[in-house]
Amino acid sequence: MIHVEHLGKSFHDYQRGWVEAVRDVSFDCRPGEIFGLLGPNGAGKTTTLRILSTVLKPTTGKAVVAGYDVVDDPMEVRRRIGFMSAGTGIYDRMTAWELVAYFGRLYGLPKDRLRERMETVFGWLRMDDFRDVLGSKMSTGMKQKVSIARTIIHDPPVLIFDEPTSGLDILVQRIVLDKILELRDLGKTIVFSTHSMSEVERLCSRVAIIYRGELQAQGPIDELVARHGQPDVEELFFALVEQADARHAETAREALETTSNRGTGRTP
Ligand SMILES: Nc1ncnc2c1ncn2[C@@H]1O[C@H](COP(=O)(O)OP(=O)(O)OP(=O)(O)O)[C@@H](O)[C@H]1O
């Protein structure tokens, strides 16, 4: 349902020059599965998920979502996905009900179907008691539920969650994670990014550890931990980060040596 092949994305930044945010990333995610992208700040998670949701175009490689290529058929992809990120906006002057209905209409749901979906989604997320609360008056937890509601209102088969629990207290985190698990049980294809080891352990059947824009390892959690001889995901994560940093330092050292040898005319 999601197929990612050698995906790469570079940005030009005036301070840093070319930044390779994502390099040679490949993975698959099937219906009824939660695939986790685990990585620290700046690892390339958001960039990868933005490409899958057609917000960004890849520089190299390809991604196919729900049978459509993200570059060739972005509109078809958009119809079949729900994308939720930290920036998924709540409008101050709209009530919970108005905002979710607005997105339902944007997705082209006919009136009857929209009404039916609204009732289902509001009931499922237990949002009925704040249907009429304005965005400006909502708590963080209410806002997060509204964000989920607007992400799933059109009942898409593919869901992309970019750090959906960031900034939430543990009670709301638990509600969000439980709902994501229920969506998986409904057969949705779910890609999910996080910094949190416990979240991947709880949610994901397979995980990819991403760091410095590259997948350092991927597979079922138990298998990965065993393959790398580590006791748990946390230790595995630190070991992979350390190895990647060591490789990076070595490459930088070699590049420096080559440059200084060129300067002196010596061959390495
Ligand atoms: N529009 C942009 N222009 C320049 N550089 C960018 C842009 N977007 C992302 N980057 C850079 O790409 C790299 C990966 O960023 P990305 O946001 O994908 O990481 P992330 O894993 O989602 O991090 P976080 O957990 O902090 O959200 C970072 O070095 C970031 O500064």
Side-chain angles (χ1 to χ4, degrees):
M1 193 55 103
I2 295 180
H3 174 68
V4 176
E5 210 175 290
H6 304 299
L7 207 63
K9 177 74 188 175
S10 300
F11 294 104
H12 192 265
D13 180 319
Y14 286 106
Q15 281 169 329
R16 295 181 292 175
W18 282 99
V19 177
E20 222 180 345
V22 171
R23 188 181 327 135
D24 198 21
V25 163
S26 302
F27 63 85
D28 286 288
C29 181
R30 295 176 286 269
E33 182 180 42
I34 303 177
F35 184 83
L37 273 181
L38 175 68
N41 291 129
K45 304 179 298 293
T46 299
T47 305
T48 304
L49 298 186
R50 283 196 180 141
I51 294 171
L52 295 184
S53 51
T54 79
V55 177
L56 288 174
K57 280 194 178 153
T59 314
T60 54
K62 69 182 232 166
V64 177
V65 176
Y68 292 92
D69 188 285
V70 293
V71 175
D72 298 340
D73 291 305
M75 288 312 292
E76 296 299 333
V77 171
R78 269 177 230 168
R79 274 193 201 112
R80 290 164 177 84
I81 63 167
F83 177 44
M84 179 182 162
S85 69
T88 300
I90 301 300
Y91 306 140
D92 281 356
R93 294 189 193 187
M94 278 189 181
T95 64
W97 186 266
E98 286 166 349
L99 188 130
V100 180
Y102 172 71
F103 278 89
R105 284 193 295 273
L106 278 187
Y107 284 115
L109 291 183
K111 212 171 165 193
D112 289 352
R113 170 84 177 129
L114 177 60
R115 180 87 212 175
E116 182 194 306
R117 281 294 296 162
M118 296 281 295
E119 295 293 349
T120 306
V121 168
F122 271 67
W124 184 64
L125 285 164
R126 303 217 176 88
M127 290 170 56
D128 286 317
D129 54 342
F130 63 93
R131 277 184 183 205
D132 300 323
V133 173
L134 286 170
S136 58
K137 305 271 160 79
M138 286 177 200
S139 70
T140 310
M142 289 176 186
K143 286 183 180 166
Q144 204 72 353
K145 284 186 172 184
V146 175
S147 297
I148 298 177
R150 64 166 260 195
T151 304
I152 62 172
I153 187 65
H154 53 308
D155 199 17
V158 176
L159 292 161
I160 299 167
F161 292 110
D162 189 14
E163 296 179 29
T165 58
S166 91
L168 299 180
D169 72 42
I170 53 167
L171 293 175
V172 185
Q173 267 181 28
R174 166 155 291 197
I175 295 171
V176 170
L177 297 182
D178 284 348
K179 292 299 163 194
I180 293 176
L181 284 169
E182 285 177 38
L183 287 164
R184 176 201 64 190
D185 295 340
L186 291 170
K188 306 291 181 192
T189 304
I190 303 175
V191 179
F192 159 88
S193 81
T194 182
H195 306 132
S196 159
M197 322 276 164
S198 60
E199 282 185 4
V200 292
E201 280 178 312
R202 175 132 187 263
L203 251 62
C204 305
S205 41
R206 285 187 309 124
V207 63
I209 294 177
I210 183 166
Y211 181 57
R212 292 186 178 278
E214 286 181 292
L215 292 195
Q216 307 294 334
Q218 66 164 308
I221 294 177
D222 295 350
E223 234 177 83
L224 273 184
V225 163
R227 196 191 313 151
H228 290 266
Q230 297 294 336
D232 53 34
V233 183
E234 191 164 321
E235 292 307 319
L236 170 67
F237 178 81
F238 288 122
L240 291 170
V241 162
E242 219 168 85
Q243 286 165 20
D245 282 341
R247 280 197 307 274
H248 188 257
E250 180 64 14
T251 312
R253 197 184 55 76
E254 280 170 13
L256 200 67
E257 263 181 28
T258 311
T259 318
S260 58
N261 287 340
R262 265 200 215 117
T264 58
R266 273 187 280 138
T267 44

